[in-house]
Amino acid sequence: MELASPITIYWDIPAAADTSLLQRVAADILDCRPLMLQITSTEPRLTEDILTVLEQFRDSPVSVILTIPLAAYDDSCRDHLQGSGVQEVLLAVNHADRSGGEGWPVSGLVGISFPVISGNWRELPDLVHSCLDHGITRLVLPMQRLYEGEPPFFLTVREQRELAEALAVAGGAVGLNLTIHDPFLWRAFNPGVPFPQGGCQAANTMIAISPDGGVYPCPSLPVRLGTVGSQSLKEIIASASKKELRRKLLAHPGACWECGELVECRGGCRGRAYVMHQSLEGEDPACW
């Protein structure tokens, strides 16, 4: 089944963006009527550009989730976000901190976004403690952005077991509302519990807009479908190329057909596999 329009749109806002361009993209998104908009900014402060965008969505039915760097969440930022209509604020951090938490918000009103990479995945048990120690009950492990040729991150089977054991020894993640998009990271946090997302949802329940305006099936699948500004977002979503890509994603990867894990992982991360093999038929390297 293919949805006529995505439920969730991921929009990574560029640094020093042109306000009028952001307003046009925001209008394009509103025209697609998603249920949820995930806005990510890497600016070290909450800029007027972002506030202008948030204002466009304030009285709309779209639920906006805003991810900003931890350093941007100061008193001024909190004041600006009050009454902005933003449903959830996620603060991006790259490392766990149990040394006193200087700069960490002591509040359950915000969540933490922790992009997992090769240099920090072993910190996940400490991160769980850091969140709970500061009264933060929301933790998101976001999808890796693979728009610009970045090498995909993944845990090997041995590393997945290592992480699962470390989490178990540390007491697990009881008390946290977790969002995990990677089925193999999910397995480490939830041993024996089937991954809930039912296979790759790229170009179906989700679509992504990169900082340069490129439209992608999801943040981790670098197959460019079009560019906002050259076409409307609605046209790109309804395009034949997008529909054909979704048709291909509905089929399990050819390399996975004889794998006993296929029923559970549904082919894993198709974007990560695509980057590694330059094909949608290859297996997710996290299976190796």
Side-chain angles (χ1 to χ4, degrees):
M1 178 179 178
E2 180 187 355
L3 299 180
S5 187
I7 295 171
T8 302
I9 294 178
Y10 294 86
W11 184 16
D12 294 347
I13 292 184
D18 176 77
T19 302
S20 62
L21 175 60
L22 293 181
Q23 289 175 312
R24 291 198 300 273
V25 175
D28 241 10
I29 291 171
L30 279 167
D31 195 37
C32 293
R33 303 176 66 183
L35 297 180
M36 186 179 299
L37 173 62
Q38 305 254 9
I39 296 177
T40 298
S41 169
T42 58
E43 290 278 13
R45 61 185 181 85
L46 190 67
T47 65
E48 289 296 326
D49 292 334
I50 297 173
L51 291 172
T52 299
V53 165
L54 295 179
E55 180 63 24
Q56 284 182 261
F57 291 96
R58 187 163 65 89
D59 296 321
S60 78
V62 180
S63 296
V64 176
I65 297 174
L66 176 66
T67 300
I68 55 177
L70 173 63
Y73 195 67
D74 55 16
D75 291 340
S76 174
C77 176
R78 284 189 288 271
D79 291 342
H80 280 303
L81 290 177
Q82 285 183 355
S84 67
V86 173
Q87 177 181 310
E88 183 176 40
V89 178
L90 298 174
L91 307 180
V93 301
N94 294 316
H95 294 284
D97 180 11
R98 300 195 68 193
S99 62
E102 183 178 354
W104 277 64
V106 184
S107 170
L109 300 178
V110 298
I112 295 296
S113 175
F114 188 76
V116 185
I117 58 174
S118 58
N120 68 12
W121 68 267
R122 286 186 171 89
E123 298 180 33
L124 282 165
D126 278 346
L127 176 71
V128 169
H129 280 289
S130 291
C131 288
L132 296 175
D133 286 350
H134 293 88
I136 296 170
T137 58
R138 181 81 169 107
L139 174 60
V140 175
L141 307 183
M143 286 179 281
Q144 185 182 11
R145 273 46 176 172
L146 296 175
Y147 303 131
E148 298 177 356
E150 302 91 331
F153 164 76
F154 60 92
L155 296 179
T156 65
V157 173
R158 179 187 61 78
E159 290 169 338
Q160 293 166 38
R161 294 194 189 105
E162 178 185 337
L163 177 58
E165 291 169 2
L167 286 165
V169 168
V174 176
L176 275 182
N177 176 7
L178 276 166
T179 294
I180 304 174
H181 297 277
D182 184 328
F184 298 100
L185 274 176
W186 168 271
R187 182 181 295 174
F189 276 85
N190 304 279
V193 180
F195 186 59
Q197 295 192 13
C200 177
Q201 292 299 313
N204 187 34
T205 63
M206 69 179 73
I207 211 82
I209 305 172
S210 67
D212 70 352
V215 179
Y216 293 86
C218 93
S220 298
L221 180 49
V223 176
R224 197 175 182 109
L225 300 172
T227 303
V228 289
S230 299
Q231 293 174 277
S232 73
L233 184 58
K234 184 177 282 189
E235 288 173 331
I236 295 170
I237 290 171
S239 67
S241 59
K242 182 264 186 183
K243 292 177 180 294
E244 175 62 14
L245 178 64
R246 182 60 201 164
R247 186 189 66 77
K248 292 178 180 178
L249 291 172
L250 282 170
H252 295 312
C256 299
W257 274 110
E258 296 183 5
C259 177
E261 303 285 337
L262 183 58
V263 173
E264 180 179 342
C265 80
R266 307 291 184 88
C269 175
R270 303 297 293 275
R272 190 160 55 203
Y274 178 82
V275 173
M276 295 296 291
H277 305 287
Q278 292 302 297
S279 167
L280 292 172
E281 295 301 314
E283 70 272 35
D284 185 336
C287 290
W288 298 351

